[in-house]
Amino acid sequence: MKAFARTRIPRRGQADLAPVSETQRSMWFLEQADRAGAYNIGLSLRIGGPLDTEALRRALLAVARRHETLRSVFVVEGGEVRVRALPVEEFAELLFPADWDGSAEAPFELDGGPLFRARLTSVSPREHLLLLCFHHVVYDGGSAALFWDDLWQAYTGADLPDLDIQYADYAAWQQERLDGGVLARQTRWWAEHLADAPVLSTVPPDRPRPARRTGEGRELRVRVPAGTYGALVELARAETATVYMVVLAALQAMIGLASGRTDVLVGSPVSGRVRPELRPLIGCFVNTLVMRADLAGDPSFLDHLRRARLQVLDALDHQEVPFDRVVESANPLRLPGTSPLFQVLYAHQGTSGEVVPPPAGLTAEPVDERTSTAKFDLLVTTWEEDDGLVLSLEYATELYDDKSADRFLGELLELLNRAVTDPGTPLSALGTGPWAPPAAQTGAEPSAPEPDDAPWSPTEEFLRDVWAKLLGRTDIGRRADFFDLGGHSFTGIRMLNRVRLEYGVDLPAGVLFEARTIEGLAAAVDRDLRGGSKPAELVRLAPGEGPPLLLVHPVGGGITCYVTLARQLPMPVYAIEAVGLDSVEAMADAYLTAAAPLLDEGPVAFGGWSMGGVVAFEMARRLEAASGRTVPVVLIDSHVPDPGAEAPGEADLVQWFARDWGASAGGDLGDGITGRAELWRRAEERGLLEPGRDGDAVRRMLERFETNIGAVGRFRVPSGHRGPVRLLAAAGETWAAGDRGWGAVTSGGLTVASVPGDHYGIMADPALPGEIGSFLEGAVCHD
């Protein structure tokens, strides 16, 4: 590998926000686009002996104090992903989250942290279970030995010295180095190396490839026979190669024989710690390289190995280009549900000694936990232990049956044995030949787009201008693929940020893979603006005992107004936020669909403040009409809509919104607000709106308010609901005395209770949780 310049990586100046590395930026993007939790790294460790649990907790914090990246969170500012290191004191409150059950699949919140969490359980004074989980964005396989060494040193009372540099220093140095010409030079090499690469390079699957993968998988492990392993080591030594190179060559041959192809690509991770200063750092340095093999002419395994060795060395000489930039430069055709350039990954971990031995008197044994996920078609992993080699196969169960996975593993072991014991054998004589033809693809091979003969919509014209600026080209059609035009994850993040700033629409990063054209993306934006892109979803606000309470959003559309209340109630509390539906009937139907899991589990209650009570009542009425099932309803200062009320004009709408927003945010915006410009000015003066910022978000709030006002204003409450209903009326609202009109539409028993406060103050009154709790305790049916 070529030598790097010897100038040491400098320390960056102190700042609240730091740059992210290329790997972190790519990982952040994938977290938005993929299944949450797919990039978690979990570890369970059985510890035996008289463990000092408090000393271990202090040691975990000491490691996080030394390595800033372990206490990092990620934020988006101005379209750029940045990292913030939390103070140790703040991180200490997050390290042992009370609501984490130890599951490695539990998602992390990249913008809130922690991205490293722990759980310690003592079965007895001499039996303990330590559960750790890291997000891959702050930790990789090369970090394991460093982590355990630091942990056990700190456990014994040793002071961990400050590091010469932190991960953020590396990220800043990397960006400067790549911008200085390294990226351009190495990218050219990858573009040439991967020119005309095949779209698929994998073992034929048993089933059609789905357009969107769930990431479900299984893992098999076998031990390579001692004789095979011995011959493998001898061959590697004789050819000045490594165990990794020999297994890689065998895997490439296996894929070629199974698929009937002579051009084979396999992905392979590398540590990325290219400088001595980086070796003591915990963090995500790993990069992925593409190892391409030409098997044409049926070479012997020995000839193939020699070529593979040179290919590996060349790839390592150009390993600084982040994988997503490699994809950008190669610009391969893409199939939905398929990783670009390669679908099989091979990783060699050297040894399995991830856990450094603990101090004297303690034992530590990793719990063998098999994966239930698969990011690729196939992932082959090898590691050396006890003078032997272990081989793991992780496979996507959406594509392969267990029987096929067993076959692959068996044939790979047999091929490896024949190859290393008689390396002069032609590749064609090492395996069984092609497997069954590949299953038909549900996502067709990319083809030339249809003519762009339809008129451009305003949203499409906006996106065309954004794409032109970000991609540096003007030849952009409505159906041109974002990635085919040179887009990649970083430009995708910037593009979605432009959409957010212009339209106030927060599209998930995964939309880039599903709506890859201007036409498709514009449709996604327009659907979001109409409220048709997001289904209603349950949000859990608080745990508890007994039947749950489901609260519906008020006219403002948000559910933060219920957070304080939910924490004071004894039962589990869920809420539903507005998704842009323009009628109470549509809301009731959509929210009942979202509530199906709660309804299936047993008794439940509905409720809501203001307009939320109206929707909750209609949900209960519709459920009763459809199934005969009655549920109790809690109406928090809600009234039956007036059928004779006129729709508000612009001035009334803005004034009502100003009052609602100000009261909800804890600040009075005052009277006389008849236009949006005045609303913006008042909000900025009172600190509710940062000058020059956040305007789009508030516009969306106002639009949502207008939609909900219109929906409830048009609604006529049908009568006949037979379930128990309690109205909690704000005593300070004298204009709406009595039962607020609910007595005329209920037949199952309406009770009215007066609660101190006005329409907004009632939500903070300490009497409210008690009133709700006492009503539901007797009203929720347990049959």
Side-chain angles (χ1 to χ4, degrees), residues 292-303:
R292 188 175 189 178
D294 180 3
L295 308 181
D298 194 20
S300 68
F301 181 78
L302 184 60
D303 288 339

Side-chain angles (χ1 to χ4, degrees), residues 443-464:
E445 292 265 358
S447 58
E450 299 176 9
D452 292 334
D453 51 5
W456 290 73
S457 71
T459 307
E460 290 173 339
E461 290 178 348
F462 166 77
L463 290 172
R464 177 176 58 188

Side-chain angles (χ1 to χ4, degrees), residues 195-401:
D196 302 319
V199 176
L200 288 174
S201 183
T202 187
V203 174
D206 297 313
R207 284 175 290 283
R209 187 177 300 274
R212 187 172 180 84
R213 301 273 284 272
T214 65
E216 296 177 355
R218 292 196 187 93
E219 181 185 1
L220 300 173
R221 292 182 186 178
V222 296
R223 191 175 184 84
V224 176
T228 302
Y229 176 60
L232 189 161
V233 172
E234 286 299 319
L235 177 61
R237 185 179 297 117
E239 294 299 319
T240 322
T242 62
V243 169
Y244 160 77
M245 293 175 181
V246 177
V247 178
L248 171 67
L251 178 60
Q252 290 171 329
M254 174 71 190
I255 296 171
L257 290 170
S259 64
R261 300 177 184 270
T262 58
D263 191 354
V264 174
L265 282 71
V266 172
S268 198
V270 290
S271 73
R273 287 173 165 81
V274 295
R275 296 288 295 262
E277 308 98 291
L278 305 180
R279 291 170 190 162
L281 299 185
I282 289 174
C284 185
F285 296 90
V286 68
N287 193 15
T288 303
L289 306 182
V290 184
M291 304 301 181
R292 188 175 189 178
D294 180 3
L295 308 181
D298 194 20
S300 68
F301 181 78
L302 184 60
D303 288 339
H304 167 51
L305 171 61
R306 289 169 176 170
R307 291 203 293 260
R309 174 183 174 275
L310 295 177
Q311 288 283 357
V312 169
L313 295 176
D314 278 345
L316 291 175
D317 277 343
H318 300 87
Q319 65 172 292
E320 290 187 83
V321 182
F323 177 68
D324 62 337
R325 299 292 186 98
V326 171
V327 174
E328 175 191 354
S329 66
N331 194 23
L333 293 173
R334 291 175 173 85
L335 286 177
T338 305
S339 57
L341 293 179
F342 65 86
Q343 294 77 49
V344 180
L345 188 80
Y346 169 51
H348 180 65
Q349 297 181 348
T351 66
S352 63
E354 291 186 351
V355 179
V356 174
L362 297 177
T363 61
E365 177 186 4
V367 178
D368 184 7
E369 294 182 338
R370 303 297 170 93
T371 183
S372 60
T373 62
K375 299 183 184 68
F376 304 95
D377 290 13
L378 302 168
L379 166 60
V380 176
T381 306
T382 52
W383 62 88
E384 297 170 82
E385 63 178 17
D386 301 329
D387 297 325
L389 187 70
V390 177
L391 191 152
S392 161
L393 174 66
E394 176 187 293
Y395 59 99
T397 51
E398 293 172 285
L399 301 178
Y400 300 101
D401 294 328

